[in-house]
């Protein structure tokens, strides 16, 4: 029987970002950060979240009835957009205001490119530019509606994450901002590695990645 994975994807991404991880041992359900209808598995499952997907997954974890047996955050935080614990709000706003199809190519380069892994064509999404910009607008609106009580609750009562992966070469979600948050969570094992934002490029399958957490 296949183990189910709930994968909360990064902004502007689709299934292509993780297609290289296809694995006969896992059945993966992919959700974008702006999706609110999440089907909760009835059996034991694993939750993996990447980038802004960590913010979306944290909202899910705070309300789900059946918690995952393992939850893993990758290059993101439960805040998503925040001056100290997430992507800087001013930078996020400017990205939205000046976003163009040509500009998306530069963003892809920052997400995927490394000196060791230069070719990322197969990972590029097939989403329309309009869909990507609308998703960005949704994330900004959610950040603007977050009041101080929610911020304080995230800090004083953090949701339990088993693992947090942080890339040293992340040019999308600043490494420092990530560590600012995860260092406040002693129950979370934080792994800092030499990688770019799309850390999952370093793994050949879901089995290879999940095994890193079962030693």
């Amino acid at each position: 029987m296949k183990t189910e994975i709930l994968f909360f994807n990064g902004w502007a991404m689709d299934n292509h970002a993780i297609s290289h991880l296809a694995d006969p041992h896992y059945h993966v359900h992919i959700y974008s950060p702006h999706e609110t209808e999440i089907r909760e598995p009835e059996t034991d499952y694993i939750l993996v979240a990447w980038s802004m997907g960590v913010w979306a997954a944290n909202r899910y974890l705070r309300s789900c009835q059946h918690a995952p047996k393992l939850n893993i955050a990758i290059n993101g935080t439960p805040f998503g957009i925040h001056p100290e614990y997430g992507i800087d709000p001013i930078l996020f706003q400017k990205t939205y205001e000046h976003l163009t199809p040509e500009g998306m190519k530069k963003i892809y380069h920052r997400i995927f490119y490394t000196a060791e892994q230069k070719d990322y064509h197969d990972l590029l999404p097939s989403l329309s530019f309009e869909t990507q910009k609308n998703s960005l607008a949704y994330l900004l609106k959610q950040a603007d509606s977050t009041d101080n009580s929610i911020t304080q609750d995230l800090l004083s009562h953090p949701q339990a994450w088993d693992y947090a992966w942080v890339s040293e070469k992340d040019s999308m979600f600043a490494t420092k901002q990530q560590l600012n948050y995860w260092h406040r969570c002693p129950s979370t094992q934080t792994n800092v590695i030499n990688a770019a934002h799309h850390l999952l490029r370093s793994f050949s399958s879901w089995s290879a990645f999940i095994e890193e957490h079962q030693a």
Side-chain angles (χ1 to χ4, degrees):
M1 184 176 178
K2 293 184 178 182
T3 299
E4 292 189 83
I5 293 177
L6 290 192
F7 179 70
F8 287 77
N9 215 344
W11 165 73
M13 297 291 106
D14 61 14
N15 62 299
H16 290 90
I18 57 168
S19 59
H20 66 290
L21 297 174
D23 192 309
H25 299 100
Y26 294 94
H27 182 69
V28 183
H29 306 274
I30 305 173
Y31 294 99
S32 299
H34 62 269
E35 291 188 65
T36 56
E37 297 294 326
I38 311 298
R39 186 190 70 82
E40 189 172 327
E42 297 179 357
T43 59
D44 286 347
Y45 66 100
I46 296 170
L47 186 150
V48 181
W50 171 43
S51 194
M52 286 300 296
V54 178
W55 165 82
N58 201 73
R59 286 161 54 111
Y60 163 80
L61 287 170
R62 296 174 78 86
S63 61
C64 69
Q65 300 298 311
H66 181 205
K69 64 178 182 180
L70 177 67
N71 50 5
I72 307 164
I74 303 171
N75 287 329
T77 73
F79 279 89
I81 304 171
H82 190 273
E84 187 176 359
Y85 304 113
I87 298 175
D88 184 85
I90 296 175
L91 176 61
F92 212 95
Q93 180 67 42
K94 287 183 177 180
T95 299
Y96 173 74
E97 292 174 355
H98 302 290
L99 194 66
T100 64
E102 190 64 27
M104 283 303 304
K105 295 179 182 179
K106 296 179 180 178
I107 289 175
Y108 294 148
H109 189 80
R110 293 171 61 194
I111 291 173
F112 297 115
Y113 180 86
T114 68
E116 298 76 25
Q117 298 171 307
K118 298 179 181 179
D119 182 15
Y120 51 83
H121 181 268
D122 290 344
L123 302 172
L124 295 177
S126 58
L127 301 173
S128 69
F129 173 72
E130 181 181 11
T131 296
Q132 292 172 322
K133 190 159 187 177
N134 287 342
S135 178
L136 200 62
Y138 169 82
L139 295 174
L140 276 170
K141 182 178 180 181
Q142 293 300 309
D144 289 341
S145 64
T146 301
D147 59 32
N148 289 333
S149 63
I150 295 177
T151 297
Q152 290 304 314
D153 188 55
L154 283 172
L155 292 175
S156 58
H157 301 94
Q159 192 66 41
W161 286 83
D162 299 308
Y163 293 87
W165 289 76
V166 179
S167 290
E168 292 179 327
K169 297 181 179 178
D170 197 326
S171 60
M172 291 297 296
F173 205 119
T175 303
K176 179 183 177 182
Q177 309 295 83
Q178 295 183 58
L179 293 177
N180 282 346
Y181 179 77
W182 294 116
H183 284 167
R184 299 180 62 100
C185 304
S187 64
T188 301
Q189 179 175 319
T190 302
N191 300 326
V192 181
I193 70 167
N194 182 21
H197 186 59
H198 189 30
L199 178 152
L200 286 171
R201 285 197 75 185
S202 303
F203 296 89
S204 59
S205 66
W206 281 112
S207 290
F209 179 65
I210 299 302
E211 285 172 5
E212 289 288 324
H213 311 86
Q214 297 177 338

